[in-house]
Amino acid sequence: MILVATTGCGFGTSCPTHRPPKKRCHSSYYKVVLKLNQSNFKAQVSSVEIHHRVRGCECFDLYKELIPYQEAWSWQKSIVRKRQALTGRDEDCHDNIIILQHPPVYTLGTGSSEEYLNFDLKNAPYNIYKTERGGEVTFHGPGQLVMYPILNLRYHKMDLHWYLRALEEVVIRVLSSTFSIKASRLDGLTGVWVGNQKLAAIGIRASQWITYHGLALNVTTDLTPFQHIVPCGIRDRQVGSIEGLLGESGPSSEWGAENTSHNLIDVTHDSLLKEFSEVFQLTLNHKFVSCSDFLKEEPLIPQ
């Protein structure tokens, strides 16, 4: 079963309805009802008892490192394969998240059109990867925090609309709580926006209800490479960054000239993990392993 969620262009699925597996992992329960629409996402305690296990989440935190895109992509697929095997034995007891930065690279989704590239493929400014995620072309580079959640939606909510909105909610909360930036969703366009500027792009894939790929938030990113593409296939809007928006608003009591780009990355990283754990009700357990070390544990299986 394969599910694809596209960025800014709707999504398509091809799957039968699956029942959640019998869960053998022992953990505490919480009661929650998720109310969701395109403009609002709330998680609140309800008198209606809906049992859901509070899950752990292994966090591979490499946010200060530049991990080549192909390595991170292979890493995700390796984790997904392991998780699928555990799911088959009803032993998938925790989720995973990878957070990192990439060297400059362009990536395209499954249905991407080359018309959104403002350069000749034979003379591209940076490496290009055609991936199985949803969405159009985007850019990854230093100063952009990329989060790859590998979640088993059987233990959350088996709904890709819900998952996309939840990822947006993480970023919206980060911008509001940490920087007092009011961000929003736009009907029909996946991602997080401040006015006419897109700060976070989202493109996902799910296989057997296990997600990979994820979101990219521009923090101190050099936005120049976006000029060589039509980001996410949207011609009439711009791309922005947290640093750029803070610069437009002028020095504040908290974010003045004394704060560096390095500090901004650190603070955004901390806030992203905090809001992610709250939105998805996950307890993060930091794992100290490199991408290359992880891949050595399991030889890659050709896809």
PDB file of all heavy atoms in Angstrom, residues 2 7-8 23-24 30 40 75 78 85-87 106 108 114 128 186 196 202 239 252 257 259 295:
ATOM      1  N   ILE A   2       0.588   2.174  -0.894  1.00  0.00           N
ATOM      2  CA  ILE A   2       1.348   3.408  -0.982  1.00  0.00           C
ATOM      3  C   ILE A   2       0.384   4.574  -0.884  1.00  0.00           C
ATOM      4  O   ILE A   2      -0.672   4.584  -1.490  1.00  0.00           O
ATOM      5  CB  ILE A   2       2.107   3.496  -2.325  1.00  0.00           C
ATOM      6  CG1 ILE A   2       3.135   2.356  -2.414  1.00  0.00           C
ATOM      7  CG2 ILE A   2       2.792   4.836  -2.469  1.00  0.00           C
ATOM      8  CD1 ILE A   2       4.219   2.425  -1.390  1.00  0.00           C
ATOM      9  N   THR A   7       2.229  18.546  -2.084  1.00  0.00           N
ATOM     10  CA  THR A   7       2.370  19.851  -1.473  1.00  0.00           C
ATOM     11  C   THR A   7       1.701  20.901  -2.347  1.00  0.00           C
ATOM     12  O   THR A   7       2.140  21.180  -3.445  1.00  0.00           O
ATOM     13  CB  THR A   7       3.869  20.210  -1.330  1.00  0.00           C
ATOM     14  OG1 THR A   7       4.513  19.185  -0.591  1.00  0.00           O
ATOM     15  CG2 THR A   7       4.028  21.531  -0.632  1.00  0.00           C
ATOM     16  N   GLY A   8       0.639  21.498  -1.823  1.00  0.00           N
ATOM     17  CA  GLY A   8       0.002  22.600  -2.520  1.00  0.00           C
ATOM     18  C   GLY A   8      -0.845  22.183  -3.693  1.00  0.00           C
ATOM     19  O   GLY A   8      -1.346  23.025  -4.413  1.00  0.00           O
ATOM     20  N   LYS A  23      -1.852  -3.857  19.821  1.00  0.00           N
ATOM     21  CA  LYS A  23      -0.682  -3.153  20.330  1.00  0.00           C
ATOM     22  C   LYS A  23      -0.163  -3.864  21.561  1.00  0.00           C
ATOM     23  O   LYS A  23      -0.832  -3.938  22.570  1.00  0.00           O
ATOM     24  CB  LYS A  23      -1.032  -1.705  20.649  1.00  0.00           C
ATOM     25  CG  LYS A  23      -1.629  -0.995  19.454  1.00  0.00           C
ATOM     26  CD  LYS A  23      -2.274   0.312  19.868  1.00  0.00           C
ATOM     27  CE  LYS A  23      -3.042   0.883  18.684  1.00  0.00           C
ATOM     28  NZ  LYS A  23      -4.210   1.609  19.061  1.00  0.00           N
ATOM     29  N   ARG A  24       1.053  -4.367  21.483  1.00  0.00           N
ATOM     30  CA  ARG A  24       1.614  -5.117  22.589  1.00  0.00           C
ATOM     31  C   ARG A  24       2.561  -4.277  23.439  1.00  0.00           C
ATOM     32  O   ARG A  24       3.137  -4.775  24.383  1.00  0.00           O
ATOM     33  CB  ARG A  24       2.364  -6.343  22.054  1.00  0.00           C
ATOM     34  CG  ARG A  24       1.456  -7.312  21.296  1.00  0.00           C
ATOM     35  CD  ARG A  24       2.261  -8.454  20.718  1.00  0.00           C
ATOM     36  NE  ARG A  24       1.402  -9.371  19.972  1.00  0.00           N
ATOM     37  CZ  ARG A  24       1.864 -10.366  19.233  1.00  0.00           C
ATOM     38  NH1 ARG A  24       3.159 -10.566  19.140  1.00  0.00           N
ATOM     39  NH2 ARG A  24       1.037 -11.152  18.581  1.00  0.00           N
ATOM     40  N   TYR A  30      -3.731   8.336  27.340  1.00  0.00           N
ATOM     41  CA  TYR A  30      -4.308   9.653  27.524  1.00  0.00           C
ATOM     42  C   TYR A  30      -5.582   9.727  26.713  1.00  0.00           C
ATOM     43  O   TYR A  30      -5.815   8.928  25.816  1.00  0.00           O
ATOM     44  CB  TYR A  30      -3.332  10.776  27.102  1.00  0.00           C
ATOM     45  CG  TYR A  30      -2.997  10.820  25.653  1.00  0.00           C
ATOM     46  CD1 TYR A  30      -3.767  11.557  24.764  1.00  0.00           C
ATOM     47  CD2 TYR A  30      -1.892  10.139  25.159  1.00  0.00           C
ATOM     48  CE1 TYR A  30      -3.441  11.601  23.434  1.00  0.00           C
ATOM     49  CE2 TYR A  30      -1.581  10.171  23.822  1.00  0.00           C
ATOM     50  CZ  TYR A  30      -2.353  10.910  22.967  1.00  0.00           C
ATOM     51  OH  TYR A  30      -2.029  10.958  21.645  1.00  0.00           O
ATOM     52  N   ASN A  40      -7.891  25.757  11.533  1.00  0.00           N
ATOM     53  CA  ASN A  40      -7.760  25.608  12.975  1.00  0.00           C
ATOM     54  C   ASN A  40      -7.416  24.179  13.336  1.00  0.00           C
ATOM     55  O   ASN A  40      -7.941  23.242  12.781  1.00  0.00           O
ATOM     56  CB  ASN A  40      -9.086  26.004  13.639  1.00  0.00           C
ATOM     57  CG  ASN A  40      -8.955  26.123  15.151  1.00  0.00           C
ATOM     58  OD1 ASN A  40      -7.870  26.392  15.636  1.00  0.00           O
ATOM     59  ND2 ASN A  40     -10.029  25.915  15.866  1.00  0.00           N
ATOM     60  N   TRP A  75      18.551   6.913   4.653  1.00  0.00           N
ATOM     61  CA  TRP A  75      18.369   6.668   6.087  1.00  0.00           C
ATOM     62  C   TRP A  75      16.881   6.520   6.415  1.00  0.00           C
ATOM     63  O   TRP A  75      16.465   5.589   7.105  1.00  0.00           O
ATOM     64  CB  TRP A  75      18.987   7.826   6.851  1.00  0.00           C
ATOM     65  CG  TRP A  75      19.113   7.618   8.336  1.00  0.00           C
ATOM     66  CD1 TRP A  75      18.884   6.467   9.033  1.00  0.00           C
ATOM     67  CD2 TRP A  75      19.524   8.591   9.288  1.00  0.00           C
ATOM     68  NE1 TRP A  75      19.111   6.672  10.372  1.00  0.00           N
ATOM     69  CE2 TRP A  75      19.510   7.966  10.557  1.00  0.00           C
ATOM     70  CE3 TRP A  75      19.905   9.932   9.195  1.00  0.00           C
ATOM     71  CZ2 TRP A  75      19.859   8.644  11.727  1.00  0.00           C
ATOM     72  CZ3 TRP A  75      20.256  10.596  10.362  1.00  0.00           C
ATOM     73  CH2 TRP A  75      20.239   9.963  11.603  1.00  0.00           C
ATOM     74  N   SER A  78      15.520   3.250   5.153  1.00  0.00           N
ATOM     75  CA  SER A  78      15.990   2.134   5.947  1.00  0.00           C
ATOM     76  C   SER A  78      15.168   1.998   7.228  1.00  0.00           C
ATOM     77  O   SER A  78      14.780   0.892   7.628  1.00  0.00           O
ATOM     78  CB  SER A  78      17.473   2.343   6.287  1.00  0.00           C
ATOM     79  OG  SER A  78      17.970   1.291   7.083  1.00  0.00           O
ATOM     80  N   ALA A  85       8.634  -4.055   9.201  1.00  0.00           N
ATOM     81  CA  ALA A  85       8.837  -5.414   9.701  1.00  0.00           C
ATOM     82  C   ALA A  85       8.311  -5.546  11.128  1.00  0.00           C
ATOM     83  O   ALA A  85       7.671  -6.543  11.483  1.00  0.00           O
ATOM     84  CB  ALA A  85      10.315  -5.782   9.649  1.00  0.00           C
ATOM     85  N   LEU A  86       8.548  -4.529  11.963  1.00  0.00           N
ATOM     86  CA  LEU A  86       8.052  -4.562  13.340  1.00  0.00           C
ATOM     87  C   LEU A  86       6.528  -4.510  13.374  1.00  0.00           C
ATOM     88  O   LEU A  86       5.890  -5.186  14.184  1.00  0.00           O
ATOM     89  CB  LEU A  86       8.636  -3.380  14.125  1.00  0.00           C
ATOM     90  CG  LEU A  86      10.131  -3.438  14.425  1.00  0.00           C
ATOM     91  CD1 LEU A  86      10.613  -2.116  15.005  1.00  0.00           C
ATOM     92  CD2 LEU A  86      10.451  -4.583  15.376  1.00  0.00           C
ATOM     93  N   THR A  87       5.952  -3.700  12.477  1.00  0.00           N
ATOM     94  CA  THR A  87       4.498  -3.600  12.426  1.00  0.00           C
ATOM     95  C   THR A  87       3.877  -4.950  12.095  1.00  0.00           C
ATOM     96  O   THR A  87       2.844  -5.331  12.651  1.00  0.00           O
ATOM     97  CB  THR A  87       4.064  -2.555  11.382  1.00  0.00           C
ATOM     98  OG1 THR A  87       4.567  -1.273  11.774  1.00  0.00           O
ATOM     99  CG2 THR A  87       2.550  -2.480  11.258  1.00  0.00           C
ATOM    100  N   TYR A 106      18.296  20.707  -4.862  1.00  0.00           N
ATOM    101  CA  TYR A 106      16.895  20.811  -5.294  1.00  0.00           C
ATOM    102  C   TYR A 106      16.279  19.418  -5.257  1.00  0.00           C
ATOM    103  O   TYR A 106      16.925  18.429  -5.642  1.00  0.00           O
ATOM    104  CB  TYR A 106      16.784  21.360  -6.717  1.00  0.00           C
ATOM    105  CG  TYR A 106      17.194  22.814  -6.864  1.00  0.00           C
ATOM    106  CD1 TYR A 106      18.281  23.173  -7.665  1.00  0.00           C
ATOM    107  CD2 TYR A 106      16.490  23.825  -6.223  1.00  0.00           C
ATOM    108  CE1 TYR A 106      18.661  24.501  -7.812  1.00  0.00           C
ATOM    109  CE2 TYR A 106      16.860  25.157  -6.363  1.00  0.00           C
ATOM    110  CZ  TYR A 106      17.942  25.483  -7.148  1.00  0.00           C
ATOM    111  OH  TYR A 106      18.315  26.800  -7.290  1.00  0.00           O
ATOM    112  N   LEU A 108      12.549  17.192  -6.195  1.00  0.00           N
ATOM    113  CA  LEU A 108      11.273  17.220  -6.896  1.00  0.00           C
ATOM    114  C   LEU A 108      10.395  16.085  -6.375  1.00  0.00           C
ATOM    115  O   LEU A 108      10.888  15.004  -6.060  1.00  0.00           O
ATOM    116  CB  LEU A 108      11.461  17.063  -8.412  1.00  0.00           C
ATOM    117  CG  LEU A 108      12.205  18.183  -9.149  1.00  0.00           C
ATOM    118  CD1 LEU A 108      13.702  17.949  -9.115  1.00  0.00           C
ATOM    119  CD2 LEU A 108      11.733  18.274 -10.586  1.00  0.00           C
ATOM    120  N   GLU A 114       9.077  19.847 -14.956  1.00  0.00           N
ATOM    121  CA  GLU A 114      10.321  20.566 -15.218  1.00  0.00           C
ATOM    122  C   GLU A 114      10.075  22.010 -15.652  1.00  0.00           C
ATOM    123  O   GLU A 114      11.010  22.807 -15.691  1.00  0.00           O
ATOM    124  CB  GLU A 114      11.130  19.815 -16.278  1.00  0.00           C
ATOM    125  CG  GLU A 114      11.640  18.456 -15.793  1.00  0.00           C
ATOM    126  CD  GLU A 114      12.475  17.727 -16.823  1.00  0.00           C
ATOM    127  OE1 GLU A 114      12.776  18.344 -17.878  1.00  0.00           O
ATOM    128  OE2 GLU A 114      12.827  16.556 -16.597  1.00  0.00           O
ATOM    129  N   ILE A 128      20.191  17.689  -8.207  1.00  0.00           N
ATOM    130  CA  ILE A 128      18.728  17.550  -8.237  1.00  0.00           C
ATOM    131  C   ILE A 128      18.377  16.094  -7.960  1.00  0.00           C
ATOM    132  O   ILE A 128      18.990  15.178  -8.520  1.00  0.00           O
ATOM    133  CB  ILE A 128      18.155  17.947  -9.619  1.00  0.00           C
ATOM    134  CG1 ILE A 128      18.530  19.395  -9.958  1.00  0.00           C
ATOM    135  CG2 ILE A 128      16.641  17.780  -9.640  1.00  0.00           C
ATOM    136  CD1 ILE A 128      18.100  19.804 -11.351  1.00  0.00           C
ATOM    137  N   LEU A 186      -3.142  28.626   4.108  1.00  0.00           N
ATOM    138  CA  LEU A 186      -3.918  29.175   2.992  1.00  0.00           C
ATOM    139  C   LEU A 186      -4.711  28.041   2.370  1.00  0.00           C
ATOM    140  O   LEU A 186      -4.164  26.954   2.114  1.00  0.00           O
ATOM    141  CB  LEU A 186      -3.006  29.814   1.943  1.00  0.00           C
ATOM    142  CG  LEU A 186      -2.238  31.074   2.378  1.00  0.00           C
ATOM    143  CD1 LEU A 186      -1.400  31.603   1.210  1.00  0.00           C
ATOM    144  CD2 LEU A 186      -3.181  32.153   2.876  1.00  0.00           C
ATOM    145  N   ASN A 196       2.294  37.019   2.345  1.00  0.00           N
ATOM    146  CA  ASN A 196       2.503  36.433   1.024  1.00  0.00           C
ATOM    147  C   ASN A 196       3.730  35.524   0.976  1.00  0.00           C
ATOM    148  O   ASN A 196       4.086  35.005  -0.083  1.00  0.00           O
ATOM    149  CB  ASN A 196       2.667  37.564  -0.005  1.00  0.00           C
ATOM    150  CG  ASN A 196       2.488  37.090  -1.427  1.00  0.00           C
ATOM    151  OD1 ASN A 196       1.567  36.338  -1.729  1.00  0.00           O
ATOM    152  ND2 ASN A 196       3.377  37.525  -2.315  1.00  0.00           N
ATOM    153  N   ILE A 202       6.052  21.567   2.947  1.00  0.00           N
ATOM    154  CA  ILE A 202       5.761  20.227   3.455  1.00  0.00           C
ATOM    155  C   ILE A 202       5.514  19.297   2.280  1.00  0.00           C
ATOM    156  O   ILE A 202       4.728  19.608   1.386  1.00  0.00           O
ATOM    157  CB  ILE A 202       4.528  20.235   4.388  1.00  0.00           C
ATOM    158  CG1 ILE A 202       4.796  21.120   5.603  1.00  0.00           C
ATOM    159  CG2 ILE A 202       4.170  18.811   4.816  1.00  0.00           C
ATOM    160  CD1 ILE A 202       3.582  21.314   6.494  1.00  0.00           C
ATOM    161  N   VAL A 239       8.919  33.322  -1.114  1.00  0.00           N
ATOM    162  CA  VAL A 239       9.477  32.490  -0.052  1.00  0.00           C
ATOM    163  C   VAL A 239      10.117  33.418   0.970  1.00  0.00           C
ATOM    164  O   VAL A 239      10.759  34.410   0.614  1.00  0.00           O
ATOM    165  CB  VAL A 239      10.528  31.514  -0.618  1.00  0.00           C
ATOM    166  CG1 VAL A 239      11.210  30.748   0.507  1.00  0.00           C
ATOM    167  CG2 VAL A 239       9.885  30.553  -1.605  1.00  0.00           C
ATOM    168  N   SER A 252      14.086  43.929  18.504  1.00  0.00           N
ATOM    169  CA  SER A 252      13.125  43.841  19.604  1.00  0.00           C
ATOM    170  C   SER A 252      13.894  43.556  20.884  1.00  0.00           C
ATOM    171  O   SER A 252      15.103  43.369  20.879  1.00  0.00           O
ATOM    172  CB  SER A 252      12.120  42.717  19.343  1.00  0.00           C
ATOM    173  OG  SER A 252      12.780  41.471  19.363  1.00  0.00           O
ATOM    174  N   ALA A 257      20.261  43.131  17.649  1.00  0.00           N
ATOM    175  CA  ALA A 257      21.452  42.951  16.828  1.00  0.00           C
ATOM    176  C   ALA A 257      22.460  42.001  17.467  1.00  0.00           C
ATOM    177  O   ALA A 257      23.304  41.426  16.794  1.00  0.00           O
ATOM    178  CB  ALA A 257      22.113  44.323  16.587  1.00  0.00           C
ATOM    179  N   ASN A 259      21.931  39.142  18.689  1.00  0.00           N
ATOM    180  CA  ASN A 259      21.639  37.742  18.401  1.00  0.00           C
ATOM    181  C   ASN A 259      22.183  37.364  17.031  1.00  0.00           C
ATOM    182  O   ASN A 259      22.048  38.105  16.060  1.00  0.00           O
ATOM    183  CB  ASN A 259      20.133  37.498  18.446  1.00  0.00           C
ATOM    184  CG  ASN A 259      19.602  37.510  19.868  1.00  0.00           C
ATOM    185  OD1 ASN A 259      19.810  36.577  20.616  1.00  0.00           O
ATOM    186  ND2 ASN A 259      18.955  38.601  20.227  1.00  0.00           N
ATOM    187  N   LEU A 295      23.227   3.545   8.686  1.00  0.00           N
ATOM    188  CA  LEU A 295      23.123   2.818   7.419  1.00  0.00           C
ATOM    189  C   LEU A 295      24.053   1.609   7.385  1.00  0.00           C
ATOM    190  O   LEU A 295      23.778   0.637   6.687  1.00  0.00           O
ATOM    191  CB  LEU A 295      23.435   3.757   6.252  1.00  0.00           C
ATOM    192  CG  LEU A 295      22.382   4.838   5.993  1.00  0.00           C
ATOM    193  CD1 LEU A 295      22.859   5.788   4.903  1.00  0.00           C
ATOM    194  CD2 LEU A 295      21.049   4.225   5.600  1.00  0.00           C
TER     195      LEU A 295
END
